[in-house]
Amino acid sequence: MGSRRLSTIVYAVCAAVYLVVGYYLCVRHGFIIGDALSRVSSAQTVLFSRDPHVAAIGFIFTPLTALVQLPAVGFSEIWQPMTELAYSGVIMSALFMAGAAVQVLGIGVDRGLPRPFTLLITVLFAFNPMIVFYGSNGMSEAPFVFFTCWAVRRLIAWATDDDVHHLAAAGVALGLGYLTRYDAVAAIGAAAIFVASVTAFRSTPHLRWRRAALDGGLVAAPGFFAFLGWAATSWLITGQAFAQFSSQYGNSSIMQQSGADTPGQFLPGLEFSFTSTLLLAPTLIPLLVLAGVAGWWRRDWIPLLVPVLIFGAVLAFQAYSYASGSTFGFLRFYILAVPLAATTAILLLPARACTITKRRGKYAPAQTLSPSRHPAPRHRISHAPKWPAFVAAALLLAVTVPSSAWGMSKPHYAPQEYALGAVLAPEPDNVTARKATEHRIAATFSTEREMAQYLDGLDLPEGSILTDTVYGFAVVVASTKPKTFVVPSDQDFTTILNDPAANNVKYLLSVPNTGRGESDALNLRYPTLYETGADIAALALEVPNDGESQPVWRIYRVLESVDD
């Protein structure tokens, strides 16, 4: 079977599995993570809001995950679960995570390893519970894993044959990775340093620094311009170059408003990050040690630096961010430990494919299995590894599958994932506090869907309901009439907010002026709205919430005149 056909089969099977799992979780059981639904809401706003425009996608998150959902969101008028139950996000994550599996497969194929072994490693990666879950829930982890795996594959290939086309592809992958998650900054920096260092090591003295600068710049340039372009666009439209950090809706504000648990001290934060990484890949250290020793003995150790530096830079960035109190303690932030373990298992075995070095230099051999200064000895190339080596590599990676499942069941390390127990093992007779919390997390946004159904039933004209999207996005995205809502991305939002009655607004959606509700635009404009109606509205309905950490809603009817 040709490698292209095998890649197509792997992609199709993985995508199908992720799509089915996503349908089961999101559509059948309504298990939706907030960030995924928020991105669906952003895409819906671009197409179906009162004021549809591309800038409505927002500048808190990087844009790629929402932009690629636009075609699927366009079908929401035919099949409402595309937006209401975030299935457009499921499609996005399924297609990207299937691509990540193909990239892992491609690393083994590029090195000429036996197909059964390469396919087994790919299966262990693709069906790791953490990979399956984040390939099926519409979160940004899937495209980020794909882009980093793509970059790692191309950099490993470059480390082997010195073809600059690989650098260009890796640079594009990392640039797109930045448009997916800000974490990619760490990977871009690590890639640039690695490439410049290896090029300087390989080159003849009189060309060393010029080539190092060119190669390092080539791999870093797409990410650099993505960084500048996104910051400039955000500044021109919102006046804030880095809204994720400076906006009232940004990550820093969310942590402050929600009273998120932080480690308090740096070392406990690092311990949490280290434990989270080992929960997902408990054999990572043995794999790295064995692969390092084997690579050094074969004089083929430089390719191993690629996954260690690229994946490792992101993991280190996340560890530092959490330890310093600037991000949340989520297990998903360490998901790159899984492809790191899979890639290391592949690199544990010697390459069988003989490649031609594209650029000759003083230390670059013409034909080699490695990019080291000296060609590997012939007796080391000719002898293929024995089957115990393949078994050992596969077994070390296989341990990550049950370990990841176990780690995902730990509330302290996996506050988002452990609630899957409410879907996979509902146990209706279980009355423990943990099981009750699982069911409340699984029920998140169910109340907002009921509110959307109620408001749709009022058959209100366009622009009749005023809401901020801090919490209100879940109501808007579930509505079959999104034009009914006035939201912050509408250019006339501030005008309408200042005088709802004069602008024909009939209802206000209000949340408590505490926690994240402090950043709600309605609370900022009318601080007593939730408690008293702020003399502009009368309470029409109070809606208790079934979801965990979700607000008790109050729907206010706008008074026709402030004097009333």
Side-chain angles (χ1 to χ4, degrees):
M1 183 185 296
S3 60
R4 179 168 296 183
R5 184 181 177 188
L6 180 61
S7 297
T8 301
I9 292 173
V10 167
Y11 185 85
V13 170
C14 291
V17 170
Y18 301 150
L19 287 169
V20 170
V21 173
Y23 181 87
Y24 177 78
L25 292 177
C26 296
V27 179
R28 290 288 301 274
H29 292 279
F31 189 99
I32 304 169
I33 295 181
D35 284 354
L37 190 64
S38 177
R39 287 171 170 83
V40 175
S41 176
S42 297
Q44 182 198 53
T45 303
V46 170
L47 297 179
F48 298 118
S49 65
R50 291 174 57 251
D51 182 20
H53 56 286
V54 177
I57 207 162
F59 294 90
I60 304 301
F61 297 117
T62 44
L64 190 141
T65 48
L67 284 174
V68 298
Q69 292 185 52
L70 291 177
V73 168
F75 287 96
S76 61
E77 293 188 329
I78 299 174
W79 192 51
Q80 182 64 15
M82 276 291 186
T83 51
E84 179 184 0
L85 296 169
Y87 200 72
S88 66
V90 171
I91 295 173
M92 177 276 297
S93 61
L95 298 183
F96 274 117
M97 197 65 91
V102 170
Q103 296 304 319
V104 172
L105 174 74
I107 295 172
V109 170
D110 293 346
R111 290 177 65 81
L113 297 179
R115 292 294 171 84
F117 172 75
T118 301
L119 191 59
L120 177 59
I121 295 298
T122 303
V123 168
L124 292 173
F125 164 79
F127 298 112
N128 181 288
M130 196 73 173
I131 296 298
V132 172
F133 182 51
Y134 283 96
S136 309
N137 63 10
M139 294 286 282
S140 62
E141 272 67 24
F144 188 61
V145 170
F146 167 71
F147 289 126
T148 49
C149 286
W150 180 17
V152 164
R153 178 186 178 186
R154 299 309 289 263
L155 287 174
I156 289 174
W158 172 81
T160 303
D161 63 17
D162 200 25
D163 187 342
V164 294
H165 295 88
H166 294 310
L167 293 184
V172 170
L174 292 171
L176 292 171
Y178 177 78
L179 295 177
T180 303
R181 289 180 66 98
Y182 292 109
D183 316 28
V185 168
I188 293 169
I193 294 171
F194 166 75
V195 169
S197 300
V198 172
T199 297
F201 180 76
R202 285 170 166 167
S203 301
T204 53
H206 70 285
L207 294 175
R208 177 168 297 161
W209 303 115
R210 183 185 303 174
R211 281 190 173 181
L214 287 173
D215 286 0
L218 181 60
V219 78
F224 176 72
F225 286 112
F227 171 83
L228 286 185
W230 182 240
T233 303
S234 177
W235 179 74
L236 288 171
I237 294 175
T238 69
Q240 297 175 314
F242 304 102
Q244 170 73 354
F245 309 102
S246 58
S247 169
Q248 69 192 57
Y249 304 111
N251 197 59
S252 299
S253 296
I254 291 174
M255 291 193 65
Q256 199 171 41
Q257 295 155 5
S258 61
D261 290 333
T262 56
Q265 295 181 339
F266 194 78
L267 288 180
L270 291 181
E271 181 182 354
F272 176 93
S273 300
F274 182 74
T275 303
S276 297
T277 302
L278 290 186
L279 283 173
L280 297 179
T283 54
L284 183 58
I285 293 176
L287 276 169
L288 289 171
V289 170
L290 290 173
V293 171
W296 185 265
W297 185 81
R298 297 191 307 258
R299 297 177 185 174
D300 183 27
W301 52 270
I302 291 182
L304 180 63
L305 294 179
V306 176
V308 171
L309 291 175
I310 304 304
F311 294 133
V314 177
L315 292 170
F317 175 81
Q318 287 291 357
Y320 175 82
S321 297
Y322 178 69
S324 60
S326 59
T327 193
F328 295 93
F330 292 155
L331 186 64
R332 62 185 173 91
F333 289 159
Y334 308 94
I335 193 173
L336 289 186
V338 180
L340 173 56
T343 306
T344 304
I346 291 173
L347 295 176
L348 178 60
L349 283 304
R352 290 183 172 184
C354 193
T355 58
I356 304 298
T357 300
K358 304 298 182 183
R359 295 184 296 181
R360 296 295 303 277
K362 182 177 180 181
Y363 299 116
Q367 189 175 32
T368 180
L369 288 171
S370 73
S372 60
R373 286 187 179 221
H374 309 289
R378 289 185 177 276
H379 71 277
R380 292 184 185 175
I381 295 176
S382 60
H383 292 294
K386 304 301 182 181
W387 67 265
F390 291 104
V391 173
L395 287 177
L396 285 171
L397 182 62
V399 174
T400 66
V401 175
S403 177
S404 293
W406 186 70
M408 292 171 69
S409 70
K410 300 300 176 184
H412 179 63
Y413 295 100
Q416 295 176 308
E417 296 85 2
Y418 87 99
L420 282 168
V423 175
L424 303 179
E427 301 179 18
D429 297 329
N430 189 330
V431 295
T432 61
R434 168 171 171 157
K435 185 58 69 173
T437 303
E438 287 179 6
H439 282 284
R440 285 183 61 82
I441 294 174
T444 301
F445 307 125
S446 60
T447 297
E448 286 73 11
R449 291 193 291 271
E450 293 173 358
M451 285 177 59
Q453 185 177 9
Y454 167 77
L455 294 169
D456 286 347
L458 298 179
D459 199 23
L460 298 169
E462 182 178 315
S464 296
I465 305 171
L466 182 65
T467 184
D468 196 354
T469 50
V470 173
Y471 286 109
F473 74 90
V475 180
V476 178
V477 78
S479 174
T480 58
K481 303 174 182 178
K483 293 182 183 293
T484 306
F485 297 86
V486 180
V487 293
S489 61
D490 296 339
Q491 296 183 40
D492 56 358
F493 178 78
T494 302
T495 300
I496 295 175
L497 176 64
N498 285 329
D499 197 346
N503 289 280
N504 300 314
V505 171
K506 305 300 181 185
Y507 291 96
L508 308 175
L509 301 188
S510 178
V511 297
N513 194 5
T514 57
R516 289 196 63 194
E518 294 175 358
S519 64
D520 187 284
L522 277 71
N523 284 333
L524 292 173
R525 179 63 181 84
Y526 306 105
T528 61
L529 175 64
Y530 186 80
E531 297 298 335
T532 68
D535 296 329
I536 64 167
L539 182 63
L541 188 66
E542 181 171 285
V543 187
N545 210 306
D546 293 331
E548 180 71 8
S549 302
Q550 292 295 104
V552 175
W553 289 90
R554 287 183 179 175
I555 302 176
Y556 276 94
R557 183 182 296 107
V558 176
L559 302 176
E560 292 186 5
S561 170
V562 174
D563 294 334
D564 291 346

